[in-house]
Amino acid sequence: MKLYLDTSTDVCILRLNQKEYTRSGKYDMAEKILEFINDKIQENQANWSDISEITFYSGPGSFTGLRIGAAIVNTLADQLQIPLFDQNGVKHQIILPVYGRPANISTPRK
């Protein structure tokens, strides 16, 4: 099973082979995304070990969303020992988010 993940916006896009699923989650993505992926894998009568490769939309997009997604796909690819690709089909050992601009980091108040 091929897994595609896009967390670059408030709507997470997950593809398992040719089936596409979406989940809105601006404030709870970090908490709920693994549960969402697991539920959809189970809906397809599969389990984590059935994933044969991962493609991740690495950006540009939401700073936090891309960081969450990259952490998930990097961990899954490493632990399942499967190939990891970006949206352009380039294989990566570790995928880094492409934010499209410098991070908007607030200056400390103190």
Side-chain angles (χ1 to χ4, degrees):
M1 172 180 290
K2 294 180 180 181
L3 184 149
Y4 169 88
L5 185 64
D6 179 351
T7 57
S8 64
T9 67
D10 294 344
V11 177
C12 172
I13 299 171
L14 170 68
R15 287 191 201 118
L16 298 172
N17 290 333
Q18 300 302 321
K19 294 181 182 178
E20 183 171 294
Y21 307 93
T22 59
R23 181 187 184 284
S24 296
K26 184 172 185 173
Y27 300 107
D28 67 351
M29 186 182 303
E31 293 176 43
K32 302 289 185 177
I33 191 166
L34 281 175
E35 180 181 352
F36 171 66
I37 295 169
N38 187 55
D39 289 348
K40 298 308 174 188
I41 289 171
Q42 289 180 354
E43 278 183 26
N44 285 274
Q45 289 77 44
N47 59 50
W48 292 101
S49 63
D50 294 321
I51 300 171
S52 58
E53 71 178 54
I54 298 173
T55 301
F56 177 61
Y57 181 81
S58 58
S62 160
F63 181 81
T64 302
L66 289 171
R67 288 179 60 90
I68 292 167
I72 289 169
V73 298
N74 285 326
T75 302
L76 288 174
D78 178 68
Q79 293 301 300
L80 297 172
Q81 298 180 355
I82 56 176
L84 175 61
F85 300 92
D86 65 20
Q87 70 271 20
N88 298 313
V90 177
K91 188 176 179 180
H92 296 266
Q93 186 170 0
I94 294 174
I95 201 159
L96 298 174
V98 177
Y99 303 115
R101 63 184 192 280
N104 183 15
I105 299 172
S106 302
T107 55
R109 292 181 185 202
K110 293 184 178 186

